[in-house]
Amino acid sequence: MKMGMVIDLEKCIGCRSCMVACKQHNAQPPQTWWNRVFTPGSHRHLTPPAKGVEFFLPVHCQHCENAPCEKVCPVGATYHAEDGAVLIDYERCIGCRYCMSACPYGVRQFNWEDPAKAHQRSEYQEQYHYGYPEDHRHEGRLVYMPLRPKGIVEKCTFCAQYRDKGELPACVRGCPGKARFVGDLDDPASEVSTMMKGRNAFTLLPEKGTKPTVFYLPPKAKEV
Ligand code: SF4
Ligand code: SF4
């Protein structure tokens, strides 16, 4: 199996519900966003719109097959799970941030917050309580904690804690435009494989050689 995601840019309306669902379900601290939606014209819009085509661009970890973050991690904390998702083992991460420098997509975030201290501040209490409430192990490794320690790096896991229960990632469930899909890229009959047929699916920054497993379907040209 090769886990992957397809995002249909024709259907993305830029509402940022996926950002909020991701943040809430994964208990991200203040200032941290694992998943962001960029507006056309933003310098973070990694694929400039072609003439006559403008689209919002959701970007989170691209779960690269050839992941530079994994290669530079000195303690083996970042690794490929058996299904191909790139995960971080919080029991190993030492917060050196080499992976943040290596990732060309800028999706990794450093946790500056001590959750115990943040917990005591009333305005943050709820933010540290929402989300999936329990620590979660995937293949024996600690890949999700609602109260993550200060000084670790974190990012999208394709919602490992939900997928292991047979549920879809939070962003997929939270998208009102039904623009996001996950599935097995190795299965030619899967929904994600079928959707990409005939749609000129593309990946972000292909020149970096990272081989992302997040694919985007281009929107149709419109008069702008
Ligand atoms: Fe690593 Fe960045 Fe690729 Fe995610 S997008 S696998 S963090 S290099
Ligand atoms: Fe966030 Fe989960 Fe979607 Fe990744 S798959 S962007 S962690 S909601």
Side-chain angles (χ1 to χ4, degrees):
M1 154 139 202
K2 184 162 83 182
M3 266 298 300
M5 181 173 275
V6 171
I7 302 176
D8 189 343
L9 299 174
E10 179 69 24
K11 292 185 177 166
C12 175
I13 55 174
C15 68
R16 296 178 170 83
S17 298
C18 59
M19 286 176 59
V20 175
C22 175
K23 187 171 175 81
Q24 290 192 321
H25 281 265
N26 289 289
Q28 291 156 39
Q31 316 301 327
T32 295
W33 296 90
W34 293 358
N35 176 26
R36 285 170 289 185
V37 179
F38 297 115
T39 303
S42 155
H43 73 288
R44 300 299 305 273
H45 200 289
L46 300 176
T47 304
K51 193 169 184 309
V53 186
E54 284 197 340
F55 53 89
F56 293 96
L57 186 72
V59 179
H60 49 76
C61 175
Q62 304 291 293
H63 294 274
C64 309
E65 278 187 68
N66 188 23
C69 55
E70 182 179 26
K71 289 182 189 159
V72 299
C73 180
V75 293
T78 287
Y79 72 104
H80 271 95
E82 279 182 12
D83 62 11
V86 176
L87 303 177
I88 302 168
D89 183 338
Y90 291 134
E91 286 177 321
R92 290 202 173 194
C93 179
I94 56 172
C96 69
R97 292 183 270 172
Y98 288 177
C99 56
M100 291 176 69
S101 303
C103 172
Y105 304 97
V107 294
R108 287 180 166 252
Q109 316 253 308
F110 189 68
N111 187 358
W112 297 94
E113 284 278 349
D114 176 347
K117 279 192 190 152
H119 220 41
Q120 289 161 8
R121 295 202 299 273
S122 59
E123 71 267 31
Y124 290 157
Q125 275 183 13
E126 288 305 312
Q127 298 186 49
Y128 270 100
H129 274 294
Y130 64 23
Y132 191 83
E134 298 162 8
D135 290 0
H136 182 73
R137 285 182 183 273
H138 181 82
E139 296 163 354
R141 299 178 74 161
L142 185 60
V143 299
Y144 174 83
M145 302 165 80
L147 291 172
R148 293 180 285 281
K150 177 181 176 180
I152 49 89
V153 171
E154 49 184 77
K155 66 161 194 72
C156 160
T157 65
F158 275 155
C159 283
Q161 74 276 28
Y162 288 120
R163 290 188 292 111
D164 286 348
K165 293 201 305 180
E167 295 175 14
L168 291 168
C171 61
V172 175
R173 284 182 276 142
C175 175
K178 301 277 177 279
R180 307 172 71 96
F181 302 83
V182 284
D184 185 0
L185 298 170
D186 273 348
D187 176 0
S190 69
E191 186 178 39
V192 282
S193 300
T194 310
M195 290 181 71
M196 285 198 279
K197 286 177 189 146
R199 285 288 307 272
N200 296 321
F202 67 93
T203 55
L204 299 181
L205 305 180
E207 68 276 15
K208 300 289 184 188
T210 52
K211 298 179 74 180
T213 57
V214 176
F215 289 85
Y216 295 85
L217 304 183
K220 294 182 192 122
K222 301 182 185 92
E223 290 300 319
V224 289

